[in-house]
Amino acid sequence: MFAAYNHIYALLAVGVIFIFVNIYAFVKDGKLIKAIIISDIAMTVGYSPWIIPLLYQTEAAAGSFWLKGVEPLSVVVFASGLVISTLILAKKENRRLSVIFAITCVLSVQAIGLLVTIFIRPFYIARYSVVISGIFALLVAFGTQHIKEKVKNIICVLLCALNVACLIGTGIFEYNPSMNNFFNRFDEIASSTDTFLYCDSSFGILSYYYPENTHICTYYEPWFSAFDNVDCVNKKDIVNDIDFDNTVWFVKNELTKTPDYIKDNFILELTDTFKCDFNTFEVYSIQNNFNSNFHAPN
């Protein structure tokens, strides 16, 4: 029940588990029926206070969730689960209820998420499957129970190597010092009245860390509605839509070519850079090109 409170896909995993347990009780072990029914009632009553917030959050996310379609990585993860499950079931000794139960839990959460994404609304990404990683670990444990010790040791070594690689990758990805160092420098020259201008996905970074500022994008995405601090401007009217009474910053990925409508209308001065998600981002202070070239008559 506590797991179900954490995340909607944890709720889905718990639901799959309880459906399986109920079927097992009614088909295999009648002595458990009374205990399972009591558990069902306890789970339902215990989770019921969260039903309304869950529906509210789901409705809000459905209207503004950033995902546009099927995430390729989620397909890779699901396909990997299928391959591993097939290899496990290929061994006759593994065709047992405990193994089938684990496979059902692992694959059903991903399958339902992908089906919802394909036919209803993009709503599932690969990392949501982490909620069933413990069951997946048990599946591998049961599935390798009857193989040779040498092969089992090789699998364990490979899993350890994979986990270490993932840990290092996560550390580089999430905890690189570049962001903190940048914010320490930038906070000394920036203020809450500053405006940030974007022409690419760099909007998603600084808008998160500076929610009180005005953030302006020269493009529009439906998921922008999830943010209260973003405005979208027409490229042709960009000069009139930006208030230069306050400091204005232009932020972009270094791989993004600076658009002509930015270069033609503004003077850019590179102020700082930072790394995030294995990409380098550039922060420019910008001035209105018209004002800088304007000279009052004698």
Side-chain angles (χ1 to χ4, degrees):
M1 184 181 71
F2 291 134
Y5 267 94
N6 278 299
H7 198 280
I8 188 171
Y9 283 97
L11 170 64
L12 177 59
V14 169
V16 171
I17 290 171
F18 261 72
I19 289 172
F20 203 100
V21 169
N22 275 267
I23 293 173
Y24 175 82
F26 279 91
V27 174
K28 290 286 187 179
D29 195 342
K31 295 179 180 179
L32 292 175
I33 291 177
K34 182 178 178 180
I36 295 302
I37 291 177
I38 293 174
S39 297
D40 290 342
I41 295 173
M43 286 283 290
T44 304
V45 172
Y47 191 78
S48 59
W50 192 247
I51 293 296
I52 293 178
L54 173 69
L55 294 175
Y56 175 79
Q57 288 183 359
T58 304
E59 181 182 4
S64 58
F65 196 53
W66 57 269
L67 191 63
K68 299 180 187 178
V70 177
E71 182 201 32
L73 182 59
S74 63
V75 178
V76 173
V77 172
F78 180 61
S80 300
L82 283 174
V83 171
I84 293 173
S85 299
T86 302
L87 292 174
I88 289 174
L89 291 177
K91 201 167 186 62
K92 188 176 181 180
E93 295 88 342
N94 290 332
R95 297 170 192 170
R96 295 174 291 136
L97 189 61
S98 56
V99 174
I100 294 173
F101 169 52
I103 289 175
T104 301
C105 292
V106 169
L107 295 183
S108 61
V109 172
Q110 300 176 62
I112 293 172
L114 287 171
L115 289 173
V116 169
T117 294
I118 294 170
F119 295 106
I120 300 178
R121 173 73 169 83
F123 221 52
Y124 175 77
I125 54 180
R127 67 173 180 264
Y128 292 164
S129 63
V130 74
V131 298
I132 40 85
S133 57
I135 298 174
F136 180 73
L138 290 173
L139 169 62
V140 175
F142 279 115
T144 57
Q145 185 176 2
H146 301 287
I147 64 176
K148 295 179 180 179
E149 193 71 20
K150 185 177 180 180
V151 177
K152 193 181 298 186
N153 290 336
I154 292 174
I155 293 175
C156 288
V157 170
L158 291 175
L159 284 174
C160 288
L162 177 62
N163 282 328
V164 170
C166 289
L167 179 63
I168 294 173
T170 301
I172 296 173
F173 186 81
E174 295 286 353
Y175 304 107
N176 75 81
S178 177
M179 290 283 287
N180 287 333
N181 294 337
F182 164 73
F183 289 131
N184 290 335
R185 297 189 302 267
F186 193 66
D187 287 344
E188 295 181 358
I189 60 175
S191 72
S192 59
T193 60
D194 294 354
T195 299
F196 292 88
L197 177 65
Y198 311 91
C199 66
D200 59 18
S201 60
S202 56
F203 156 73
I205 302 174
L206 291 191
S207 63
Y208 177 82
Y209 289 99
Y210 295 98
E212 296 180 359
N213 291 76
T214 299
H215 298 269
I216 298 177
C217 290
T218 59
Y219 64 101
Y220 172 76
E221 295 288 351
W223 53 269
F224 283 179
S225 59
F227 298 85
D228 296 326
N229 59 346
V230 58
D231 293 321
C232 298
V233 298
N234 189 306
K235 300 171 185 177
K236 297 179 180 179
D237 301 325
I238 190 170
V239 175
N240 299 323
D241 289 333
I242 295 180
D243 181 9
F244 277 91
D245 290 337
N246 298 310
T247 303
V248 182
W249 306 98
F250 174 57
V251 186
K252 73 175 186 69
N253 189 314
E254 68 170 355
L255 300 179
T256 301
K257 182 180 178 181
T258 303
D260 290 337
Y261 60 82
I262 297 289
K263 293 190 293 185
D264 294 343
N265 290 296
F266 305 114
I267 296 175
L268 305 178
E269 182 179 347
L270 182 63
T271 302
D272 211 329
T273 63
F274 64 90
K275 290 185 177 181
C276 180
D277 299 350
F278 305 114
N279 292 305
T280 298
F281 294 86
E282 300 171 335
V283 181
Y284 295 85
S285 63
I286 68 174
Q287 294 180 347
N288 191 323
N289 199 12
F290 173 77
N291 289 338
S292 64
N293 292 330
F294 177 78
H295 299 279
N298 293 327

